[in-house]
Amino acid sequence: MLGRRGQTMAFAGLLLVAITWGTTFPISKTLFGRVGVWDLLAVRFSIAAGAMLVCWLPAVRRLPRRLLRHGAGLGVVYGAAQIVANLGLERAPAAVAGFITGTYVVLTPLCAALILRARIGARAWVAAAVAALGLGTLALHGFSVGVGETLALLSALLYALHIVALGMISTVRDAVGLAVVQIVATAAVSVVAALVVQGRINLPGRGTDWAVIAYMALVSGALAMMMQSWAQAHLPATRVALVMATEPLWAAALSVMFLHEAVTARLVIGATAIVSALIIAETGASDGRRPGRASRRRVRRAGRRQR
């Protein structure tokens, strides 16, 4: 464990990670007018995969074949989550999509309980109920649910499943190699999806768009993931959880500031409920009274999604 100064640096690093992940919502929203969802994902993850292979290829070579296969499978799930999340973001306000996608924090222990047969504690049920209230406030339009909000919730479920599966196989020794394999598989899924849906990949036409996509690939992608992995090794789980739960807040704040999205009573009430649910779920992450074949602590440590 680091000293006080080192822990402060780790905390600041995690806060920067949460902020950079929050920026991806308004940034992607602004790009959609010029760069399609399929093209954005294909280019973004291809850049990220290339950079990570250059930097960490030896870590991939050390992985046994079993982990290579599992990492590729996890990358497919993560790629599907990214596709669904961005299709939802294209159809819903960035602030709303950010809060709904953030409910993966609440869905993760519920999925872990179903898959790993772990007991669901009272805290998880309370968090799920509060999150459902927030989701209903944000997503319901009369008696119907918006398509964008539905896709955002589906992406949150896929992210949660990815976290649980990663927690079952990941170790500290293999974490970097697995991360690279997953990003490479995500890039492959994104490229194939773009080719199947539209028959080609349209490259950005502006230098500024290339710069923004490179930022999303390298800064809010590869570098943020490595910073988060380092910081989590030196901070208590509860502190980490609370910092990372601020991601949707940054997404909403930046969307209001730069996209001029309206701050409505529905947004405030729904966002407050969801953030409360994230805090309820995450402050119980270090509770040791949760039995099962794989502890939730391991699940949470293993798998914050690489945004």
Side-chain angles (χ1 to χ4, degrees):
M1 188 71 71
L2 297 176
R4 178 171 296 181
R5 183 177 180 182
Q7 289 192 39
T8 300
M9 292 177 61
F11 182 88
L14 272 181
L15 186 59
L16 286 175
V17 170
I19 293 172
T20 59
W21 282 351
T23 63
T24 62
F25 288 90
I27 286 177
S28 297
K29 196 75 171 178
T30 58
L31 282 175
F32 288 155
R34 300 181 301 275
V35 182
V37 171
W38 308 104
D39 304 313
L40 172 60
L41 292 175
V43 174
R44 173 188 174 186
F45 283 105
S46 294
I47 293 174
M52 294 181 76
L53 281 172
V54 169
C55 294
W56 295 294
L57 183 58
V60 176
R61 288 177 172 169
R62 289 194 295 268
L63 292 177
R65 290 185 179 180
R66 176 183 64 85
L67 287 182
L68 286 172
R69 291 194 302 270
H70 289 166
L74 287 169
V76 171
V77 175
Y78 185 72
Q82 284 286 339
I83 290 171
V84 174
N86 279 271
L87 289 174
L89 177 59
E90 189 180 35
R91 294 162 173 79
V96 172
F99 281 114
I100 294 178
T101 303
T103 59
Y104 77 90
V105 172
V106 179
L107 293 174
T108 296
L110 300 181
C111 290
L114 291 174
I115 295 172
L116 305 176
R117 297 181 181 179
R119 181 176 64 85
I120 302 178
R123 185 183 293 271
W125 284 118
V126 171
V130 175
L133 174 63
L135 284 171
T137 304
L138 290 176
L140 287 176
H141 302 282
F143 293 99
S144 63
V145 179
V147 174
E149 291 84 353
T150 301
L151 290 171
L153 181 58
L154 177 58
S155 73
L157 177 60
L158 289 172
Y159 284 133
L161 292 173
H162 171 265
I163 290 171
V164 174
L166 181 59
M168 295 170 64
I169 66 171
S170 180
T171 63
V172 173
R173 182 186 63 184
D174 301 321
V176 173
L178 272 175
V180 177
V181 171
Q182 289 176 80
I183 294 301
V184 170
T186 298
V189 168
S190 301
V191 169
V192 170
L195 293 175
V196 169
V197 171
Q198 55 190 28
R200 57 179 293 180
I201 296 174
N202 303 298
L203 298 179
R206 298 184 182 182
T208 53
D209 290 345
W210 276 107
V212 169
I213 294 173
Y215 161 80
M216 294 175 68
L218 301 177
V219 178
S220 65
L223 291 179
M225 181 193 67
M226 290 303 165
M227 170 61 76
Q228 182 247 348
S229 299
W230 171 78
Q232 278 196 233
H234 301 289
L235 288 175
T238 301
R239 239 181 134 188
V240 169
L242 289 174
V243 176
M244 301 313 296
T246 64
E247 178 194 346
L249 290 174
W250 296 112
L254 293 169
S255 298
V256 171
M257 289 174 59
F258 296 106
L259 300 183
H260 306 292
E261 293 187 352
V263 181
T264 63
R266 177 189 291 267
L267 175 62
V268 172
I269 295 171
T272 301
I274 287 179
V275 171
S276 299
L278 303 188
I279 294 174
I280 291 170
E282 291 287 30
T283 51
S286 60
D287 188 346
R289 297 173 295 170
R290 305 183 182 207
R293 285 164 43 194
S295 70
R296 289 187 194 172
R297 183 178 300 173
R298 185 186 175 198
V299 170
R300 293 198 185 281
R301 186 183 301 121
R304 290 291 178 180
R305 65 193 189 283
Q306 304 92 3
R307 300 189 75 85

